[in-house]
Amino acid sequence: MLLFISFLIILAILSMKVSARLGLPLLIGFILIGILVGSDVLNWFYFDNALLTKQIADILLIFIIFDGGFRIPRNVFRSVAGPSLTLATLGVAMTAVALGLLIHVILGLDLVYSLMIASIISSTDAAAVFMITNANPIKPKLAATLNVESAANDPMAILLTVTFIQIVNKAFGSPVIAVLSLIWQFVGGVLLGFVCYKISALFLQYLRSENRGSYHVLMIGLILMTYGVADLVKANGIIAVFFLGFFLGNYNFPAKRSVSSFLESLSTIFNIALFIMLGLLAFPHRFVFIWKEALIIVALMMFIARPLAILLSTIPFGYSFKEKLFLMWGGIKGAVPIVLATYPAAQGMDSNGFIFDTIFFAVFMSCLIQGTTLGALAKLLKFTEPRKPPLPYSIELHSLHLSEYDMIEIPVQATSPYKNTPISRLNLDKDMLITSIVRDGNIILPKGNTIIKENDILFLLAPLSKINDINRIINLKP
């Protein structure tokens, strides 16, 4: 078993390189690995337990969605908060309702059953969207809109799915109770995310451990605590951990960069595990029975439901038609819909596997079609920007206490008035210090007569209060 797991991990990492070169969402590579070693192909590992999949996936999603919130900067969130959160809430609801009605009319399925299926596939995939926007640098406004929406819209899809499952099972006494429960789950999740953030900030501030690993373990405990408290009071734990991640990601605490790297690794591991597990759960030979319905759902979603939701949700926010067109095509589906597709089976509502197989096939086609063409569409519409070279080094300031200083990276742009001038002529304050320079992949120790060149990356130790001014000083004003 350990040899088998090691083989899967190595194969998954190799698939990441292949997926990046081919421009494919990582989801496709990981799921294909699961299908390959699963029951229908090599039959190395038989797995068909939807209930266990749901239980494991729920735990993995806690950390994946927390990390999504953790990486959203406050200024980016504010710049697109209106349209992104509207798309992540109202947009998801509109997509689910429009798609559900179309499924009901065209496929002839029961209305509530159709709305449940539409809710399952109504959210977009953060991992796929992040990979594509990173691989194809897109204008900040559009990239931030898609990134924040994809990171924030999973909770609404989860809420709608659970709500319709409960309606089908007659768990609610009336629609009013269903609506009130939906409102409380969302509002309660946001409130608990903020309250737990305040508690977490105190723990992180006063831990003062010399071992960075202590902060990593503490973070795991804080995330699980937030989810557990939300579950205890019947609020939505996914929403709570997302906003906990957002607030902590914009809070300065000791060993933050180390914790950030740890969370990135954890999210990568859990994404790989989640996608491979979902691939194992798939039985491709059953697709022959549902491929027509799945293709109809994909077409309705991509060309009617999502565009309609985008057009209506972005009315107050001044997006051009070209920008709306790009946002329409950016509704790439991913892991969460596949996970949600296991919920009906876990409730005994999908005995023949129709829901799971249909959603799985639809998600795969969305990734394959939209995921591989979104970057090309951005170039066609002229929404891309020059790619920034990867940084070969990282320097972190590790402090056991909160500090007013931090280490930042500043690239010297072609427009900088200081290029080809010595460091001594930079108009930096006395409390700012250039600690090192990265040039052509090598580290240079700076001196007063060291010449600043275009494309240099400067590592500066500076007060947190002045970080926003440093890039302006170096790149804009002499």
Side-chain angles (χ1 to χ4, degrees):
M1 179 60 71
L2 291 178
L3 183 61
F4 175 74
I5 292 174
S6 69
F7 170 75
L8 290 182
I9 292 174
I10 294 171
L11 192 59
I13 298 301
L14 293 177
S15 74
M16 293 175 67
K17 299 291 291 184
V18 175
S19 297
R21 289 185 179 181
L22 297 179
L24 297 173
L26 295 177
L27 168 66
I28 293 179
F30 298 151
I31 284 183
L32 285 177
I33 292 173
I35 293 175
L36 178 66
V37 302
S39 308
D40 264 10
V41 185
L42 298 178
N43 197 25
W44 289 358
F45 192 87
Y46 184 85
F47 185 73
D48 64 352
N49 193 327
L51 178 59
L52 179 61
T53 299
K54 175 188 177 299
Q55 293 170 341
I56 296 175
D58 284 345
I59 297 173
L60 300 183
L61 282 174
I62 292 172
F63 295 93
I64 293 171
I65 291 181
F66 172 86
D67 186 64
F70 189 84
R71 304 200 179 279
I72 299 177
R74 191 182 302 274
N75 62 327
V76 171
F77 182 81
R78 286 176 176 172
S79 68
V80 297
S84 293
L85 291 184
T86 301
L87 288 173
T89 51
L90 182 61
V92 169
M94 288 180 177
T95 301
V97 172
L99 183 58
L101 291 174
L102 290 169
I103 292 173
H104 172 65
V105 172
I106 295 175
L107 297 182
L109 301 178
D110 176 77
L111 179 58
V112 177
Y113 192 78
S114 299
L115 290 169
M116 179 181 65
I117 292 175
S119 298
I120 289 172
I121 201 170
S122 59
S123 68
T124 58
D125 183 62
V129 171
F130 285 2
M131 190 199 81
I132 293 170
T133 54
N134 289 334
N136 304 275
I138 299 167
K139 289 185 177 180
K141 177 183 176 181
L142 290 176
T145 302
L146 282 179
N147 288 343
V148 175
E149 179 208 0
S150 64
N153 66 6
D154 292 334
M156 178 55 73
I158 295 170
L159 286 176
L160 290 174
T161 300
V162 172
T163 298
F164 283 116
I165 287 175
Q166 292 176 331
I167 291 174
V168 171
N169 287 334
K170 299 180 180 180
F172 288 120
S174 70
V176 175
I177 296 177
V179 172
L180 291 176
S181 175
L182 187 68
I183 294 173
W184 163 244
Q185 288 188 61
F186 193 90
V187 175
V190 175
L191 291 175
L192 281 172
F194 181 76
V195 171
C196 290
Y197 148 68
K198 289 294 187 179
I199 297 172
S200 301
L202 292 175
F203 278 111
L204 291 166
Q205 182 177 355
Y206 292 107
L207 178 60
R208 297 179 182 177
S209 173
E210 296 182 3
N211 184 356
R212 298 187 190 188
S214 300
Y215 292 93
H216 303 170
V217 176
L218 176 61
M219 186 61 70
I220 292 176
L222 295 172
I223 296 169
L224 294 177
M225 176 194 72
T226 302
Y227 186 88
V229 171
D231 187 60
L232 187 66
V233 298
K234 305 302 181 183
N236 188 272
I238 292 295
I239 293 177
V241 297
F242 173 80
F243 279 96
L244 173 71
F246 169 71
F247 290 126
L248 284 179
N250 290 277
Y251 171 71
N252 181 39
F253 58 86
K256 182 177 179 180
R257 289 201 182 186
S258 177
V259 169
S260 178
S261 297
F262 169 73
L263 290 171
E264 184 178 18
S265 300
L266 203 63
S267 178
T268 299
I269 293 171
F270 287 173
N271 268 299
I272 291 173
L274 176 61
F275 295 155
I276 290 178
M277 181 178 64
L278 294 174
L280 289 171
L281 193 62
F283 289 81
H285 76 273
R286 301 197 308 227
F287 293 164
V288 69
F289 303 108
I290 53 84
W291 68 270
K292 293 180 181 179
E293 292 87 347
L295 285 179
I296 290 173
I297 290 174
V298 169
L300 293 174
M301 176 184 62
M302 290 193 301
F303 298 110
I304 300 179
R306 168 78 177 183
L308 181 63
I310 293 293
L311 287 174
L312 295 177
S313 299
T314 57
I315 288 175
F317 302 111
Y319 286 88
S320 67
F321 179 76
K322 286 172 58 177
E323 291 173 330
K324 291 180 181 181
L325 182 64
F326 181 77
L327 294 175
M328 292 175 190
W329 201 245
I332 305 168
K333 308 306 172 183
V336 171
I338 299 177
V339 173
L340 292 179
T342 66
Y343 283 33
Q347 296 290 326
M349 299 169 57
D350 190 30
S351 57
N352 62 355
F354 173 80
I355 294 177
F356 180 84
D357 292 339
T358 301
I359 296 298
F360 188 100
F361 190 83
V363 167
F364 191 83
M365 294 305 298
S366 170
C367 285
L368 193 62
I369 297 172
Q370 294 174 292
T372 56
T373 58
L374 185 62
L377 180 63
K379 294 177 182 177
L380 179 65
L381 298 176
K382 299 180 180 180
F383 289 151
T384 57
E385 295 188 337
R387 186 190 307 274
K388 295 180 180 179
L391 187 63
Y393 301 97
S394 179
I395 300 177
E396 175 188 353
L397 176 65
H398 176 62
S399 174
L400 300 181
H401 304 275
L402 288 179
S403 173
E404 61 176 315
Y405 288 86
D406 198 3
M407 190 73 67
I408 63 171
E409 304 148 11
I410 299 293
V412 179
Q413 301 173 4
T415 56
S416 172
Y418 288 110
K419 66 178 183 181
N420 300 322
T421 60
I423 288 178
S424 58
R425 292 182 56 187
L426 291 179
N427 292 331
L428 296 178
D429 293 345
K430 294 181 179 180
D431 53 0
M432 299 179 184
L433 175 66
I434 299 178
T435 63
S436 57
I437 300 174
V438 175
R439 179 179 299 164
D440 299 327
N442 299 311
I443 288 184
I444 298 175
L445 297 179
K447 298 179 181 179
N449 60 354
T450 301
I451 302 298
I452 300 295
K453 295 185 177 181
E454 181 182 343
N455 296 325
D456 279 356
I457 299 176
L458 312 180
F459 283 92
L460 285 90
L461 184 64
L464 291 170
S465 59
K466 298 182 179 180
I467 282 180
N468 292 332
D469 298 328
I470 296 175
N471 187 64
R472 176 184 58 80
I473 293 173
I474 293 178
N475 285 313
L476 297 179
K477 292 186 178 180

